[in-house]
mmCIF file of all heavy atoms in Angstrom:
data_model
loop_
_atom_site.group_PDB
_atom_site.id
_atom_site.type_symbol
_atom_site.label_atom_id
_atom_site.label_comp_id
_atom_site.label_asym_id
_atom_site.label_seq_id
_atom_site.Cartn_x
_atom_site.Cartn_y
_atom_site.Cartn_z
ATOM 1 N N ILE S 24 1.056 -89.988 -12.295
ATOM 2 C CA ILE S 24 0.806 -91.079 -11.354
ATOM 3 C C ILE S 24 0.461 -92.310 -12.186
ATOM 4 O O ILE S 24 -0.382 -92.239 -13.078
ATOM 5 C CB ILE S 24 -0.359 -90.725 -10.409
ATOM 6 C CG1 ILE S 24 -0.022 -89.480 -9.590
ATOM 7 C CG2 ILE S 24 -0.673 -91.912 -9.497
ATOM 8 C CD1 ILE S 24 -1.187 -88.923 -8.794
ATOM 9 N N GLN S 25 1.127 -93.413 -11.889
ATOM 10 C CA GLN S 25 0.890 -94.635 -12.669
ATOM 11 C C GLN S 25 0.892 -95.840 -11.740
ATOM 12 O O GLN S 25 1.717 -95.929 -10.830
ATOM 13 C CB GLN S 25 1.976 -94.783 -13.730
ATOM 14 C CG GLN S 25 1.808 -95.987 -14.620
ATOM 15 C CD GLN S 25 2.817 -95.976 -15.751
ATOM 16 O OE1 GLN S 25 3.003 -94.960 -16.422
ATOM 17 N NE2 GLN S 25 3.494 -97.082 -15.949
ATOM 18 N N TYR S 26 -0.020 -96.771 -12.000
ATOM 19 C CA TYR S 26 -0.089 -98.004 -11.211
ATOM 20 C C TYR S 26 0.967 -98.993 -11.691
ATOM 21 O O TYR S 26 1.121 -99.215 -12.892
ATOM 22 C CB TYR S 26 -1.487 -98.626 -11.330
ATOM 23 C CG TYR S 26 -1.677 -99.813 -10.423
ATOM 24 C CD1 TYR S 26 -1.810 -99.637 -9.049
ATOM 25 C CD2 TYR S 26 -1.699 -101.095 -10.929
ATOM 26 C CE1 TYR S 26 -1.965 -100.719 -8.204
ATOM 27 C CE2 TYR S 26 -1.856 -102.197 -10.089
ATOM 28 C CZ TYR S 26 -1.993 -101.997 -8.726
ATOM 29 O OH TYR S 26 -2.148 -103.072 -7.888
ATOM 30 N N ASP S 27 1.691 -99.583 -10.752
ATOM 31 C CA ASP S 27 2.686 -100.604 -11.065
ATOM 32 C C ASP S 27 2.113 -101.957 -10.640
ATOM 33 O O ASP S 27 2.019 -102.250 -9.446
ATOM 34 C CB ASP S 27 3.981 -100.312 -10.301
ATOM 35 C CG ASP S 27 5.073 -101.335 -10.572
ATOM 36 O OD1 ASP S 27 4.758 -102.455 -11.042
ATOM 37 O OD2 ASP S 27 6.242 -101.036 -10.299
ATOM 38 N N PRO S 28 1.707 -102.783 -11.619
ATOM 39 C CA PRO S 28 1.081 -104.066 -11.271
ATOM 40 C C PRO S 28 2.025 -105.031 -10.563
ATOM 41 O O PRO S 28 1.581 -105.871 -9.788
ATOM 42 C CB PRO S 28 0.632 -104.630 -12.618
ATOM 43 C CG PRO S 28 1.385 -103.878 -13.652
ATOM 44 C CD PRO S 28 1.783 -102.571 -13.057
ATOM 45 N N VAL S 29 3.325 -104.921 -10.784
ATOM 46 C CA VAL S 29 4.286 -105.805 -10.130
ATOM 47 C C VAL S 29 4.316 -105.536 -8.626
ATOM 48 O O VAL S 29 4.226 -106.444 -7.810
ATOM 49 C CB VAL S 29 5.699 -105.660 -10.746
ATOM 50 C CG1 VAL S 29 6.725 -106.464 -9.961
ATOM 51 C CG2 VAL S 29 5.679 -106.068 -12.206
ATOM 52 N N ARG S 30 4.419 -104.257 -8.264
ATOM 53 C CA ARG S 30 4.453 -103.888 -6.840
ATOM 54 C C ARG S 30 3.053 -103.712 -6.257
ATOM 55 O O ARG S 30 2.905 -103.528 -5.060
ATOM 56 C CB ARG S 30 5.218 -102.581 -6.658
ATOM 57 C CG ARG S 30 6.683 -102.729 -6.916
ATOM 58 C CD ARG S 30 7.408 -101.540 -6.386
ATOM 59 N NE ARG S 30 8.812 -101.607 -6.713
ATOM 60 C CZ ARG S 30 9.731 -100.920 -6.085
ATOM 61 N NH1 ARG S 30 9.396 -100.112 -5.119
ATOM 62 N NH2 ARG S 30 10.987 -101.027 -6.429
ATOM 63 N N GLN S 31 2.049 -103.720 -7.130
ATOM 64 C CA GLN S 31 0.662 -103.473 -6.725
ATOM 65 C C GLN S 31 0.569 -102.179 -5.917
ATOM 66 O O GLN S 31 -0.003 -102.133 -4.834
ATOM 67 C CB GLN S 31 0.090 -104.657 -5.961
ATOM 68 C CG GLN S 31 0.015 -105.905 -6.806
ATOM 69 C CD GLN S 31 -0.705 -107.047 -6.122
ATOM 70 O OE1 GLN S 31 -0.936 -107.020 -4.927
ATOM 71 N NE2 GLN S 31 -1.076 -108.037 -6.913
ATOM 72 N N ALA S 32 1.172 -101.146 -6.488
ATOM 73 C CA ALA S 32 1.202 -99.838 -5.836
ATOM 74 C C ALA S 32 1.264 -98.753 -6.901
ATOM 75 O O ALA S 32 1.663 -99.003 -8.037
ATOM 76 C CB ALA S 32 2.415 -99.734 -4.924
ATOM 77 N N PHE S 33 0.868 -97.557 -6.501
ATOM 78 C CA PHE S 33 0.958 -96.416 -7.407
ATOM 79 C C PHE S 33 2.322 -95.763 -7.248
ATOM 80 O O PHE S 33 2.837 -95.626 -6.141
ATOM 81 C CB PHE S 33 -0.146 -95.401 -7.113
ATOM 82 C CG PHE S 33 -1.473 -95.821 -7.658
ATOM 83 C CD1 PHE S 33 -2.357 -96.540 -6.870
ATOM 84 C CD2 PHE S 33 -1.835 -95.517 -8.964
ATOM 85 C CE1 PHE S 33 -3.583 -96.940 -7.372
ATOM 86 C CE2 PHE S 33 -3.049 -95.916 -9.471
ATOM 87 C CZ PHE S 33 -3.937 -96.629 -8.675
ATOM 88 N N ALA S 34 2.891 -95.366 -8.385
ATOM 89 C CA ALA S 34 4.167 -94.660 -8.407
ATOM 90 C C ALA S 34 3.937 -93.264 -8.980
ATOM 91 O O ALA S 34 3.044 -93.062 -9.800
ATOM 92 C CB ALA S 34 5.164 -95.408 -9.279
ATOM 93 N N VAL S 35 4.737 -92.329 -8.531
ATOM 94 C CA VAL S 35 4.754 -90.998 -9.123
ATOM 95 C C VAL S 35 6.023 -90.946 -9.962
ATOM 96 O O VAL S 35 7.132 -91.107 -9.442
ATOM 97 C CB VAL S 35 4.749 -89.893 -8.050
ATOM 98 C CG1 VAL S 35 4.885 -88.519 -8.690
ATOM 99 C CG2 VAL S 35 3.477 -89.976 -7.215
ATOM 100 N N LEU S 36 5.831 -90.753 -11.264
ATOM 101 C CA LEU S 36 6.950 -90.771 -12.199
ATOM 102 C C LEU S 36 7.305 -89.355 -12.631
ATOM 103 O O LEU S 36 6.428 -88.568 -12.973
ATOM 104 C CB LEU S 36 6.587 -91.598 -13.432
ATOM 105 C CG LEU S 36 6.060 -93.012 -13.176
ATOM 106 C CD1 LEU S 36 5.643 -93.656 -14.480
ATOM 107 C CD2 LEU S 36 7.094 -93.850 -12.467
ATOM 108 N N SER S 37 8.581 -89.063 -12.605
ATOM 109 C CA SER S 37 9.099 -87.814 -13.163
ATOM 110 C C SER S 37 10.393 -88.193 -13.864
ATOM 111 O O SER S 37 10.925 -89.277 -13.634
ATOM 112 C CB SER S 37 9.323 -86.772 -12.072
ATOM 113 O OG SER S 37 10.449 -87.079 -11.308
#
Side-chain angles (χ1 to χ4, degrees):
I24 299 171
Q25 182 173 312
Y26 186 73
D27 180 341
V29 174
R30 290 195 184 199
Q31 297 187 346
F33 282 92
V35 175
L36 307 175
S37 74

